[in-house]
Amino acid sequence: MSKVNLKQLAKELNLSVSTVSRALSNSHEISEETKQKVKYLAEKLNYQPNPHAMSLRSQKTKTIAVIIPELSNNFFALAIDGIESIMQTAGYQLLIYLSHEDQQKEVSIVNKLEGRVDGVLICMATETHDISHLRALKEKKIPIVFFDRVSNKLNTVKVITNDIESAYKATEHLIERGAQRIAYISLSLNISVDQKRMQGCLKALEDYKYTGEQKRVLSCTTNDDENYNLIKKLLSSPNRPDAIFTCVERLAITTYTVCRDLGLSIPSDVKVVTFSNMPAAALLSPPLTTVSQPAYEIGKAAAQAILDALNRNMVELNDEKIILPSVLIKRAST
Amino acid sequence: MSKVNLKQLAKELNLSVSTVSRALSNSHEISEETKQKVKYLAEKLNYQPNPHAMSLRSQKTKTIAVIIPELSNNFFALAIDGIESIMQTAGYQLLIYLSHEDQQKEVSIVNKLEGRVDGVLICMATETHDISHLRALKEKKIPIVFFDRVSNKLNTVKVITNDIESAYKATEHLIERGAQRIAYISLSLNISVDQKRMQGCLKALEDYKYTGEQKRVLSCTTNDDENYNLIKKLLSSPNRPDAIFTCVERLAITTYTVCRDLGLSIPSDVKVVTFSNMPAAALLSPPLTTVSQPAYEIGKAAAQAILDALNRNMVELNDEKIILPSVLIKRAST
DNA sequence: TTGAAAGCGCTACCAT
DNA sequence: ATGGTAGCGCTTTCAA
């Protein structure tokens, strides 16, 4: 009942291991008759080649690593769905790693990747810090594709959305709706998308001559309880913002909770907009205005990029940006 | 710059490959001095043993497969978080597979697992069909642990929640709130948890003498648009239900959408309760009453069970049920 | 205390 | 058209 291998097939058929191997890979130097016999038996015994022996021999693993900060965020769930849709068709396995937004964890994950995977798709934990771990991987001929959170310090394919532009538009939307004091709530300014979204938001505020308390930034963390207190403090202050733009959906949910607890009404007291891919956004109380990223498509594009690299045996990828636009969906929260 | 292996270390140190290997595994038959030298160089060159060579030799992969129906459901995202928290500490890799609720896909995934992983955690796509693919895997000495959606046809550890009891309580809650005509909306009665939830719901309705149109079941599918129409039809019928109990969160979201589109008010026209792990449930309009499963804990328990099996080299797991209770969180939708 | 060699399962080179 | 053999990187006998 143990795993059937070439040796067993060969023995059963009175052939050599090499003949069986070639028959299964359809080599033209094997007679049709032998091929038939071999394939029939292989099918019958449900022969599956040992992936580790293959990897050891070919130095290809038919596996890629996907490194993301967390899973309980619809963006990442959808992105992985997209990645999987491409990769499973191409016969690749997906090794999933969570960095939990921790740079150290990310480094130790990346350092163990060589020999284990053919390529890496990564959404970075933090990006302002050094990227020597990724550079080392690239020097070892493992192609890397960034998605969503990217680093400009490494030349490779980057699949992103138009964060600056979308954030600008979302902010303009808040302004149109009459917001006087707009606050941008960031998750971590070590994250490229966070920076860009803030940049787009502040640019709009500057263009419309918002200054001082009309134009604020609050830095949150990865701890939900802490964030709750920070946002509560912000919304309890004497000249509190009347509009909030949060970087990620988790912060918007916290903002909703704070508003509920403080008795602030959305949108009359506070307008809220966020980047999010939550399917239930339209059903919140009130329905939440979102900038919706094409998460599934981003995953697909990133997967396709790494696949192209692997198929063409290209180690050095073009320093190319693939930009898939986000959509502003206006709802009752603004 | 290519991968450093034992041979290179040996050459550099003028030692044999076997000595280097033993030094790194801290064998007592190697002098302290040699160990020091070897370890120093290994560290310096960032030596990482080739995982495929290890697997080939030891027949252990230090990898487990996680097979789930989908990712865009908070339950699975949280469960994987839990699994990862245990497995990454134990030094295991996670290979993630999505069955997309398709029995055929699940079979073909499972058939390629032998030799690739040491163990399998699975939440089945459908369970009434045959499970010969899993039985075959078990016969090949690969331990399997079920979580959430399990099959009683296979003797092994099953980590589940108390679906029947929770569904009974949730239904009782609807009855207490005055619901007259209660409908259970199922995703697929090929799924064990769906059956159990329905069973709990119907048992409560029977105990409270609900009959005929007071006690209905609607079978949905995996297609959201189809479900929308089915639910719309149900809620447009002359003697429509005044309470809905959905099996999974996606169906509750669809129900909310239908109610909004039909102008039905929740909870006065229709009460809604669902199994769900959505963080935003409390912020929906109105806040959604949920039966919340301990998804993270279920993931952890399943991971711990497979880990115990692997550590103790047990192929045959006890036919044990680990039951982690769900919690009914009453909110405004009822 | 160290080294040589076999073998995990596979493919490719060189024979025949 | 088929078989023998080497070698991918590693651990583990067996010898020295």
Side-chain angles (χ1 to χ4, degrees), chain B residues 183-231:
Chain B
Y184 176 81
I185 303 191
S186 100
L187 180 64
S188 158
L189 292 178
N190 285 333
I191 296 172
S192 63
V193 291
D194 200 337
Q195 277 173 5
K196 285 183 185 163
R197 289 166 191 181
M198 181 179 76
Q199 194 181 328
C201 175
L202 294 182
K203 179 69 165 54
L205 292 176
E206 272 158 36
D207 287 356
Y208 287 86
K209 317 284 183 211
Y210 279 57
T211 54
E213 288 199 331
Q214 296 183 303
K215 165 170 160 267
R216 271 186 281 187
V217 171
L218 173 67
S219 282
C220 279
T221 70
T222 50
N223 179 317
D224 283 341
D225 294 336
E226 240 174 88
N227 295 342
Y228 178 89
N229 290 325
L230 286 167
I231 295 172

Side-chain angles (χ1 to χ4, degrees), chain B residues 136-173:
Chain B
L137 205 60
K138 200 185 166 194
E139 274 172 17
K140 283 168 187 156
K141 314 292 180 207
I142 297 182
I144 300 172
V145 168
F146 287 112
F147 67 100
D148 196 49
R149 303 189 194 169
V150 309
S151 170
N152 287 324
K153 294 181 196 159
L154 202 72
N155 290 347
T156 185
V157 174
K158 291 147 194 173
V159 184
I160 54 178
T161 187
N162 54 347
D163 287 287
I164 300 180
E165 191 187 329
S166 313
Y168 190 97
K169 277 189 193 155
T171 309
E172 256 186 333
H173 169 66

Side-chain angles (χ1 to χ4, degrees), chain B residues 28 49 118 133 271:
Chain B
H28 49 266
D118 294 342
H133 55 305
K271 301 184 202 325

Side-chain angles (χ1 to χ4, degrees), chain A residues 46-232:
Chain A
N46 188 28
Y47 165 74
Q48 299 284 351
N50 183 310
H52 298 107
M54 303 266 274
S55 298
L56 191 57
R57 179 107 235 289
S58 66
Q59 306 287 31
K60 296 277 167 238
T61 64
K62 276 279 187 178
T63 304
I64 66 156
V66 180
I67 309 176
I68 56 174
E70 53 166 341
L71 211 43
S72 33
N73 174 323
N74 289 291
F75 174 81
F76 294 118
L78 286 168
I80 290 187
D81 264 351
I83 293 168
E84 195 261 358
S85 74
I86 298 287
M87 284 312 186
Q88 92 94 17
T89 312
Y92 277 79
Q93 319 288 318
L94 247 46
L95 231 22
I96 306 273
Y97 298 92
L98 305 181
S99 65
H100 297 286
E101 303 280 8
D102 178 342
Q103 159 93 1
Q104 275 316 306
K105 264 196 191 123
E106 185 181 291
V107 170
S108 86
I109 290 165
V110 167
N111 281 339
K112 296 205 175 81
L113 245 36
E114 193 192 353
R116 201 182 284 285
V117 298
D118 295 341
V120 177
L121 297 181
I122 182 168
C123 175
M124 297 182 75
T126 59
E127 296 124 304
T128 56
H129 294 70
D130 83 313
I131 55 147
S132 47
H133 55 306
L134 294 175
R135 204 165 268 146
L137 205 61
K138 201 185 165 196
E139 274 172 15
K140 283 168 185 156
K141 314 292 180 209
I142 297 182
I144 300 172
V145 167
F146 287 112
F147 67 99
D148 196 49
R149 304 186 192 171
V150 308
S151 169
N152 287 324
K153 294 182 195 158
L154 201 73
N155 290 347
T156 185
V157 174
K158 291 146 193 174
V159 184
I160 54 178
T161 188
N162 54 347
D163 288 287
I164 300 180
E165 191 186 330
S166 313
Y168 189 97
K169 278 190 190 154
T171 310
E172 256 185 333
H173 170 64
L174 289 175
I175 294 170
E176 275 164 22
R177 294 302 167 98
Q180 300 290 325
R181 295 175 304 283
I182 299 179
Y184 176 82
I185 303 191
S186 100
L187 181 64
S188 158
L189 292 178
N190 285 333
I191 296 172
S192 63
V193 290
D194 202 338
Q195 277 173 6
K196 285 182 183 165
R197 289 166 191 181
M198 182 179 74
Q199 193 181 327
C201 176
L202 295 181
K203 180 69 166 54
L205 292 176
E206 271 158 34
D207 287 356
Y208 286 85
K209 315 287 184 210
Y210 280 56
T211 55
E213 289 200 329
Q214 296 183 302
K215 167 171 159 264
R216 272 186 279 187
V217 172
L218 173 66
S219 282
C220 279
T221 70
T222 50
N223 180 317
D224 284 340
D225 295 336
E226 240 174 87
N227 295 342
Y228 178 88
N229 290 326
L230 286 168
I231 295 172
K232 192 169 196 172

Side-chain angles (χ1 to χ4, degrees), chain B residues 297-325:
Chain B
E297 299 303 326
I298 288 176
K300 276 181 70 170
Q304 195 60 62
I306 201 91
L307 204 54
D308 288 351
L310 295 174
N311 286 340
R312 288 187 283 154
N313 233 321
M314 300 210 348
V315 170
E316 190 73 23
L317 296 195
N318 289 336
D319 188 25
E320 177 192 3
K321 276 190 178 140
I322 301 176
I323 300 177
L324 302 174

